Amino acid sequence: MHILFVGKVCPSKTANIIMKKTGENPGFQIIKFSRLLLDGFIHNQSRVSALTNIITSTKAFDCSHTETDNHIHYHYLPYIKLPIIQQLLQFIYSFFYTLLWCMRTKEEKIIMCDIFASSCSMGSVVAAQLMRTKKTMILTDMLTPPATIYQDTKKWWWKAFFKARVRSQENGLKKYDGFIFLTKYMNTIYNPNRKPYIVMEGAVDNTFVPQKITKKSTPRVIMYAGAIEAEYGFDTLAKAFMSLQQDNIELHVYGGGKFVKQLLEYQQLDSRIKYQGVVTNEEIIVAEQKATLLVNPRYSTQEFVKYSFPSKTSEYMLSGTPVLTTRLAGIPDEYFQYLYTFDEETINGYANKLNETLSLPDIILKNKGVKAQEFVLKNKNNVIQSQRIKEFFKTLITTH
């Protein structure tokens, strides 16, 4: 089987180069997620091509180019630093690339699109329809984001463009032959025509080898990595941490977001808070293994959490360090026996649970982390998840 993936993906080394060039996070989480699936397809004896909208240059214009890594052929779309023209260019280029790919590929084939790469996905879908090639969509989050995203800019035209893009994505759902969802709740709102679908949650790297960490960081580290936003519970977590009286603990924070400015003010008030900025995924993985406890404070009461599986949960669990999280609806019940959970999503509730968890003996914490690691490596690795998706693809091709 030959699989064409259309979306945001590139080799890890390329993502690191982009970050060094721009000083910004190129989207490590989604890049890693997509790449792990493609690596899994290769392991399961599939051919893989990727049409990617990753911007690899800081120039105002960049031509299309290619690279091959781990037997995956990456084809980068051309780029021009003019937003509307760029969207049109991606659509046209993707259309003709996919058309030629369908014509040249004589073996069993299917297309998998990331709908958030909207312009290139739409181009590929139109071409696939003309060539009567099966096309599937992978949805990793809600199409309609929290309302706060529309408040990030005062530019009316940008808000209008963003809302128009969401509407076009929603209208495009009926063009797909099948869906790959990360939570069961996605099917109820994003599959109105009841097309075939599969739920896969997250995926961890089956080649992961833990670092030989002989000793955890001192002082003991509570670590958070991800988007730093107040609406994701981070303000509550920071205030809860500052209320703790222990001197031998620190809160290490990795990532970017609107709340960073306030976090830096908290750092001035409490020297135990350490903002580490945006770093490579490799650095995050090492830091996670050295930490004492990994936390995810995202509020479980928010409606949108039902429609996404937090990738940081899988990555946290893979580290072998115990995880303390809220009970997010998008996380299946089978995970929670390997996690510590907040009982109450308030400053006092977070503080009490942090105290309770940190007071456990080190051996108890270690065993919890190791069992979580064993669970995701055995049941949720990228080879297993990709094999499930490949079997789903075969069913689509042969029976629908």
Side-chain angles (χ1 to χ4, degrees), residues 149-279:
I149 196 166
Y150 298 119
Q151 301 165 7
D152 291 347
T153 178
K154 295 181 180 179
K155 297 177 180 177
W156 65 268
W157 57 268
W158 176 249
K159 292 180 182 179
F161 170 76
F162 198 93
K163 290 181 179 180
R165 189 178 74 171
V166 169
R167 283 196 297 272
S168 70
Q169 290 170 337
E170 292 173 342
N171 291 334
L173 292 174
K174 58 187 177 183
K175 298 182 183 300
Y176 292 94
D177 300 300
F179 298 92
I180 303 154
F181 296 129
L182 266 60
T183 79
K184 62 183 180 181
Y185 300 102
M186 288 178 164
N187 185 57
T188 60
I189 60 173
Y190 294 124
N191 190 7
N193 295 329
R194 299 296 180 261
K195 299 283 187 68
Y197 74 97
I198 185 174
V199 177
M200 64 154 288
E201 303 141 29
V204 301
D205 189 350
N206 76 305
T207 65
F208 176 78
V209 178
Q211 295 284 325
K212 293 184 178 180
I213 308 280
T214 56
K215 189 177 181 181
K216 292 283 189 178
S217 297
T218 305
R220 304 174 89 195
V221 170
I222 301 169
M223 178 179 163
Y224 171 84
I228 305 172
E229 308 288 352
E231 58 265 33
Y232 292 170
F234 198 83
D235 188 37
T236 303
L237 174 67
K239 289 176 179 176
F241 176 81
M242 289 191 289
S243 74
L244 302 180
Q245 301 302 309
Q246 296 99 311
D247 293 325
N248 66 330
I249 58 172
E250 293 180 349
L251 175 62
H252 288 198
V253 182
Y254 295 80
K258 298 188 296 295
F259 196 74
V260 168
K261 183 178 179 181
Q262 182 63 53
L263 175 64
L264 293 175
E265 292 181 13
Y266 288 162
Q267 186 174 256
Q268 294 297 316
L269 298 173
D270 191 330
S271 61
R272 298 174 302 168
I273 296 176
K274 311 288 184 183
Y275 177 55
Q276 309 289 1
V278 177
V279 301

Side-chain angles (χ1 to χ4, degrees), residues 38 48 62 75 92 164 168 175 196 202-203 262 273 348-349 361 395:
L38 303 193
V48 179
D62 194 22
H75 192 107
I92 295 171
S168 70
K175 298 182 183 300
Q262 182 63 53
I273 296 176
N348 285 338
T395 302

